[in-house]
Amino acid sequence: MLLIEMFVFIGTIAFAISGSLLAIQKRLDIFGVILLGLTTALAGGVIRDLMIGNIPPTNLAEPQYFLVSLLASLATILFYERIEKVTYSISLFDAIGLGVFTAVGANAALSFEFSQPFLIIAMGLVTGIGGGVLRDVFVQEIPQVFRKEVYGLASIAGSAALILSDDFVTPILSLYICLTVTFTIRMLALKWKW
Amino acid sequence: MLLIEMFVFIGTIAFAISGSLLAIQKRLDIFGVILLGLTTALAGGVIRDLMIGNIPPTNLAEPQYFLVSLLASLATILFYERIEKVTYSISLFDAIGLGVFTAVGANAALSFEFSQPFLIIAMGLVTGIGGGVLRDVFVQEIPQVFRKEVYGLASIAGSAALILSDDFVTPILSLYICLTVTFTIRMLALKWKW
Amino acid sequence: MLLIEMFVFIGTIAFAISGSLLAIQKRLDIFGVILLGLTTALAGGVIRDLMIGNIPPTNLAEPQYFLVSLLASLATILFYERIEKVTYSISLFDAIGLGVFTAVGANAALSFEFSQPFLIIAMGLVTGIGGGVLRDVFVQEIPQVFRKEVYGLASIAGSAALILSDDFVTPILSLYICLTVTFTIRMLALKWKW
């Protein structure tokens, strides 16, 4: 339980940074930078919670995820000038968030006793891409998941790995496997411009 | 029951084709084309299910709608070059989807025992236009329903016909009436450029 | 109870006008103008109801909010030419809607016995900005809340005032306080171009 929560924090921080970096690039003001960070970090989980019936959504009911996102956005604003390759950094943090949130989302479906493989993959995908889709829509970009072949596919492969490994290893280990598969595929795609 | 499901498949296929065609026109890559087809086909039903409390949404809980959308998108990619009038085809398949999903959505509200006419019309409209609105937003277009006078109106007229006929004919027949009214009005509007 | 409903009507009218004015400015046709007014007026409440589990959402289950929005949109179309400063008017009516819906949204969270301050503020914010965010996304603008520093902040300050005053005054009075704080801060920001 504790480990899953630590995962969620890592994904939250990564997505908040990716949203804030994009907002800075788009020249939004400070509140806009923070809000786009928050949206990217929290929206995927909120949408998934609506879909599995976890009401009110954890990300809105408990302030710690908001606070962590807020700190990550503020840190991004402070250290922005030191980050040289902004576009690459957005993709890197986005890949971490995608991996973590796919794992957390697929796991949330399982823990709500939804065991159909398709629903688990769908919940991993929605949680993994939801925040990024809203982030891109709000600053007038076609969402990344529609422009990059190996983005949604990475999430789908990760959730498939989680489902396949779930019978053989502990839940935490299959979370790790899902995260690693998703993140690795996404990073390879970035490196080789798939 | 069986007939309604057949309807849903027809609407799903039509919307998946309209989304995939638009994605090809916008030069998205293959995964983007498939995902925009899936979004157009599945999102209206998901949004409606969230609103009437059908959790988890049928389109995510059961894989058949996803599979049908996937096949429709793949077929669209394969036969794309044979389709001469792409813009017209998008509108045609969109009109089929609008008619079918309005009927299915209004009927879903009824079968959840929401009998207020306004809610029935709203659920028909949300189901009918939801997928198309997201489709257009994701590729940076103002959603069609905001640009065409006789688009939302066609859905509203169809649901009104369903409500009025519901007391006199069988549920399946009033579904047909709703679908026919919506589709016919939309096609007349296309033909005469209302 | 009666007073809260009157509030909701005022906010609904204000947001419907702001949406319709923007749609006219963007040269949408009549149905588009009405639908953007409806979306702006009803969407914030619908999203909040999904998040607190009020199913089906009040704005869709009961026709009076729809009817009021419709009338406000029609009136906007009729009297549009008399409104000289359209851009300012959009902001003015938007500020009224923001104030009212923040108050109503925060109050709805309280009346569903969600007493965590963070969730109350989040529900005030979602209800207050939800309709305007969709309005802007649908006509291809970066949502105002991301572009104006003192927009979301006004809503947050208002909900904070509601929480702080809730122990000392009647619920209706703390609604008034929330509305006044949000609206005043937003108007000062407009006046002094914060």
Side-chain angles (χ1 to χ4, degrees):
Chain A
M1 184 59 179
L2 214 65
L3 259 170
I4 294 179
E5 237 171 66
M6 210 192 62
F7 270 114
V8 179
F9 281 121
I10 294 169
T12 302
I13 291 169
F15 266 152
I17 294 173
S18 91
S20 296
L21 283 175
L22 184 61
I24 293 171
Q25 213 179 34
K26 294 276 176 178
R27 301 181 170 279
L28 300 191
D29 59 32
I30 288 185
F31 187 81
V33 171
I34 292 171
L35 189 63
L36 201 66
L38 290 176
T39 304
T40 315
L42 305 179
V46 169
I47 297 171
R48 180 209 55 225
D49 282 351
L50 293 180
M51 288 180 175
I52 62 176
N54 184 23
I55 302 295
T58 309
N59 282 347
L60 298 180
E62 296 179 13
Q64 64 267 40
Y65 306 106
F66 159 78
L67 288 172
V68 162
S69 306
L70 182 66
L71 290 177
S73 290
L74 291 174
T76 308
I77 293 170
L78 282 176
F79 299 113
Y80 174 69
E81 303 206 343
R82 294 215 199 146
I83 300 169
E84 278 181 42
K85 302 176 181 175
V86 173
T87 308
Y88 178 78
S89 301
I90 296 176
S91 299
L92 174 67
F93 286 107
D94 187 87
I96 300 172
L98 181 70
V100 174
F101 277 10
T102 295
V104 171
N107 184 68
L110 269 177
S111 68
F112 263 66
E113 291 180 28
F114 298 134
S115 57
Q116 308 97 310
F118 174 67
L119 183 61
I120 293 170
I121 290 175
M123 289 302 100
L125 190 61
V126 163
T127 315
I129 72 175
V133 166
L134 284 190
R135 172 195 65 201
D136 295 345
V137 164
F138 287 154
V139 296
Q140 307 279 320
E141 303 234 337
I142 294 180
Q144 232 185 116
V145 68
F146 290 101
R147 286 179 288 137
K148 314 272 179 182
E149 304 240 347
V150 188
Y151 188 98
L153 283 179
S155 164
I156 292 167
S159 293
L162 180 138
I163 294 168
L164 292 176
S165 63
D166 190 49
D167 288 341
F168 305 105
V169 300
T170 62
I172 284 295
L173 192 56
S174 60
L175 263 182
Y176 272 111
I177 292 172
C178 174
L179 159 59
T180 309
V181 168
T182 305
F183 177 72
T184 307
I185 294 179
R186 182 71 198 116
M187 288 310 292
L188 289 175
L190 277 175
K191 184 173 169 65
W192 289 334
K193 298 189 198 300
W194 283 344
Chain B
M1 186 59 179
L2 215 65
L3 260 170
I4 294 178
E5 238 171 64
M6 210 192 62
F7 269 114
V8 179
F9 281 121
I10 294 169
T12 302
I13 291 170
F15 266 151
I17 295 174
S18 89
S20 296
L21 283 175
L22 184 62
I24 294 172
Q25 214 180 35
K26 294 276 176 179
R27 300 179 172 280
L28 300 191
D29 59 31
I30 289 185
F31 187 81
V33 171
I34 293 170
L35 190 62
L36 201 66
L38 290 175
T39 305
T40 314
L42 305 179
V46 169
I47 299 171
R48 180 208 56 224
D49 281 351
L50 292 181
M51 287 179 177
I52 62 175
N54 184 24
I55 301 294
T58 309
N59 281 348
L60 299 180
E62 296 179 13
Q64 65 265 39
Y65 307 106
F66 159 78
L67 288 172
V68 162
S69 307
L70 182 66
L71 290 177
S73 291
L74 291 173
T76 308
I77 293 169
L78 282 176
F79 299 113
Y80 174 70
E81 303 208 341
R82 294 214 199 147
I83 300 168
E84 279 181 40
K85 300 176 183 174
V86 173
T87 308
Y88 178 77
S89 302
I90 296 176
S91 298
L92 174 67
F93 286 108
D94 186 88
I96 300 171
L98 180 70
V100 174
F101 278 9
T102 294
V104 171
N107 184 68
L110 269 178
S111 68
F112 262 67
E113 291 180 26
F114 298 135
S115 57
Q116 308 97 309
F118 174 68
L119 182 62
I120 294 170
I121 290 175
M123 288 305 99
L125 190 63
V126 162
T127 315
I129 73 174
V133 166
L134 283 189
R135 174 195 65 203
D136 296 344
V137 164
F138 288 154
V139 296
Q140 306 281 321
E141 302 233 339
I142 294 181
Q144 232 185 114
V145 68
F146 290 101
R147 285 178 290 136
K148 313 274 179 182
E149 303 239 346
V150 186
Y151 188 98
L153 282 179
S155 164
I156 292 168
S159 293
L162 181 139
I163 294 168
L164 292 175
S165 63
D166 191 49
D167 287 342
F168 306 105
V169 301
T170 62
I172 285 296
L173 192 57
S174 58
L175 263 182
Y176 272 110
I177 292 173
C178 174
L179 160 57
T180 309
V181 169
T182 304
F183 177 72
T184 307
I185 293 179
R186 181 73 197 115
M187 288 311 291
L188 290 176
L190 277 175
K191 186 173 168 63
W192 290 334
K193 300 189 196 299
W194 284 344
Chain C
M1 185 61 178
L2 213 67
L3 258 170
I4 293 178
E5 238 172 65
M6 209 193 63
F7 269 115
V8 179
F9 281 121
I10 293 170
T12 301
I13 291 170
F15 266 151
I17 294 174
S18 90
S20 296
L21 284 175
L22 184 62
I24 293 171
Q25 213 178 35
K26 293 276 176 178
R27 299 179 173 280
L28 300 191
D29 58 31
I30 288 185
F31 187 81
V33 171
I34 293 170
L35 190 62
L36 201 66
L38 289 175
T39 305
T40 314
L42 304 179
V46 169
I47 299 171
R48 179 208 56 222
D49 281 352
L50 293 180
M51 288 180 176
I52 62 175
N54 183 24
I55 301 295
T58 309
N59 282 348
L60 300 180
E62 297 180 12
Q64 64 266 38
Y65 307 106
F66 159 77
L67 288 173
V68 163
S69 306
L70 182 66
L71 290 177
S73 291
L74 291 174
T76 308
I77 293 170
L78 283 176
F79 299 113
Y80 174 69
E81 303 206 341
R82 295 215 197 144
I83 300 169
E84 280 181 41
K85 300 175 181 174
V86 172
T87 308
Y88 178 77
S89 302
I90 296 175
S91 299
L92 173 68
F93 286 107
D94 187 88
I96 300 172
L98 180 70
V100 173
F101 278 9
T102 295
V104 170
N107 184 68
L110 269 177
S111 68
F112 263 66
E113 291 179 27
F114 298 135
S115 57
Q116 309 95 311
F118 174 68
L119 183 61
I120 294 170
I121 290 174
M123 288 304 100
L125 190 62
V126 162
T127 315
I129 73 174
V133 166
L134 284 189
R135 174 195 65 202
D136 295 346
V137 164
F138 287 154
V139 295
Q140 306 280 319
E141 302 234 338
I142 295 180
Q144 232 184 115
V145 68
F146 289 102
R147 287 179 289 137
K148 314 271 178 181
E149 303 241 346
V150 186
Y151 187 98
L153 282 179
S155 165
I156 292 167
S159 293
L162 181 139
I163 295 168
L164 292 176
S165 63
D166 191 49
D167 288 341
F168 306 105
V169 299
T170 62
I172 284 296
L173 191 57
S174 60
L175 262 182
Y176 272 111
I177 291 172
C178 174
L179 158 59
T180 309
V181 168
T182 305
F183 177 72
T184 307
I185 294 178
R186 182 71 197 116
M187 288 311 291
L188 290 175
L190 277 175
K191 185 174 168 64
W192 290 333
K193 298 188 198 299
W194 284 342

